[in-house]
Amino acid sequence: MSDREEEETFEDRRTQTIQCKEDVSKVRLSRHKLERWVHMPFFTQTVKGCYVRIGIGTNDGRPVYRVGEITDVVETAKIYSLGTQKTNKGLRLRHGTQERVFRLEFVSNSDFTDSEFFKWKEEMMLSGLQLPTKQEIDHKYRELQNALRYNFKEEDIEQIVKEKQRFRKNPMNYAMRKTDLLKKRDEAEQVGDSDLTQQYAKELEELEERAEELDKQRTKNISAISYINQRNRARNIQEAEKAMAEEIKELVNAKADPFTRRKSRPQLVTKTKEQQATQELLEKLQQEKNKAKGEEADNLDEDEMDIMNTNEGAGDGRSAPLPERRVSEDLFQAHDFDIKIDLDVPLGDSRPLAAPKPTNSGKDGTPRRSLNLEEYKKKRGLI
């Protein structure tokens, strides 16, 4: 293709107007795309000259849509929700000679219909307005593609965050927002700007009121739950006390049941049996001692009694008192006693004592039987 032919083709596209809806659909903006770009720094400049399918109402219960050209972006008096975003921006749309501001939430996501396109084209022709050329459509299409590949700068990010905070009713962090407002208010006071100081003070009051409302809403449910928990605790205590009273009543009126485990204190059964066996053994030994003492008392002759008196008596001829007999539960303590066997011997004669000659005490000349310590204890009833 020669240069002349290219110039003629370019000249034709510059003067040639659009003929079908596909040409307009290339620069059509949907509600989803507007939601993504509403806070972008290039939003106003990019959307001008684009087209949207706007809903204008209903007819016989059916929604009615028109093709509208975006001529400007304005701010409305109402803050509304656009998907997950909040904004107050509106689009000034032109349909023929009619212009009106619409909120972005009324924009449709669907493409134009043939009837809507021809209706718009007819209005443009009746109003004496020129249809957009294909060159204008191509230029706007390139701008839309550049917007998709936009490189954000640090200033753009700050502007986007600031724009979103304008329409956020509740801050993400109340403490951070309050600190920021206090700092700005102090700076305004230092500069001497009273209007700005009052504005920040008003924002602080609104922030405090909103925080109190949220706290009341949050604690409202907590208070109800706390009341329910307290009521349940009181009811549990009453039921426990009632159950304990009934259990005590049943224990008092209960009959003896050999198959029911009963509460009792532990006892050392072995120690009890040993004490009982020791007591019985002592009583038995005492009875045997008394019996043996009565039998042997009759068999003692006079000489044996004299010998015992001589061993027990003191120098003055008086008999020593018998040791007190102790009854003990321990068998070893029954044999724990002392016997005094010391004899008073005169010290006047220092001559050695001669061994006494054995004498016959019996009439028949038989030797007299002597007593040992064991027999002595038996006779005295000590063992």
Side-chain angles (χ1 to χ4, degrees), residues 67 89 104 161 195 277:
V67 178
K89 292 182 179 181
L104 279 67
V161 173
D195 296 337

Side-chain angles (χ1 to χ4, degrees), residues 182-194 196-197:
L182 289 173
K183 183 178 179 180
K184 291 181 179 179
R185 186 191 64 180
D186 296 339
E187 292 178 354
E189 289 179 352
Q190 292 177 0
V191 175
D193 191 347
S194 59
L196 195 59
T197 303

Side-chain angles (χ1 to χ4, degrees), residues 3-15:
D3 296 339
R4 184 176 180 180
E5 292 178 352
E6 290 181 357
E7 291 178 358
E8 290 178 355
T9 303
F10 178 76
E11 195 69 25
D12 292 340
R13 292 186 64 84
R14 187 175 62 179
T15 59

Side-chain angles (χ1 to χ4, degrees), residues 145-208:
Q145 295 300 317
N146 292 332
L148 294 175
R149 297 187 295 267
Y150 184 80
N151 293 325
F152 293 94
K153 301 178 182 178
E154 186 176 356
E155 296 80 4
D156 298 333
I157 301 298
E158 292 179 356
Q159 182 180 353
I160 292 172
V161 173
K162 186 177 180 180
E163 186 74 13
K164 289 183 178 182
Q165 289 180 351
R166 283 180 54 203
F167 307 106
R168 184 177 289 121
K169 187 176 181 180
N170 300 323
M172 298 295 293
N173 192 327
Y174 276 86
M176 185 180 296
R177 178 61 177 169
K178 183 178 180 180
T179 303
D180 188 23
L181 291 175
L182 289 173
K183 183 178 179 180
K184 291 181 179 179
R185 186 191 64 180
D186 296 339
E187 292 178 354
E189 289 179 352
Q190 292 177 0
V191 175
D193 191 347
S194 59
D195 296 337
L196 195 59
T197 303
Q198 292 178 0
Q199 179 182 351
Y200 288 140
K202 185 178 180 181
E203 292 181 3
L204 280 171
E205 292 179 359
E206 294 177 354
L207 184 67
E208 291 290 344

Side-chain angles (χ1 to χ4, degrees), residues 124-150:
M124 294 290 289
M125 294 176 64
L126 293 176
S127 302
L129 299 176
Q130 185 181 1
L131 294 175
T133 62
K134 292 185 178 180
Q135 182 183 4
E136 295 174 350
I137 296 296
D138 293 340
H139 178 70
K140 180 54 67 174
Y141 178 76
R142 286 193 296 270
E143 288 185 359
L144 293 177
Q145 295 300 317
N146 292 332
L148 294 175
R149 297 187 295 267
Y150 184 80

Side-chain angles (χ1 to χ4, degrees), residues 306-320 342-344:
D306 293 339
I307 293 173
M308 289 193 304
N309 292 332
T310 304
N311 292 333
E312 293 177 1
D316 54 358
R318 292 181 299 175
S319 60
D342 295 337
L343 302 177
D344 295 333

Side-chain angles (χ1 to χ4, degrees), residues 105-127:
E105 60 182 344
F106 298 117
V107 176
S108 175
N109 287 320
S110 302
D111 197 1
F112 306 119
T113 62
D114 293 336
S115 60
E116 293 169 356
F117 173 74
F118 289 119
K119 178 69 175 175
W120 169 73
K121 187 176 180 181
E122 182 182 359
E123 287 289 336
M124 294 290 289
M125 294 176 64
L126 293 176
S127 302

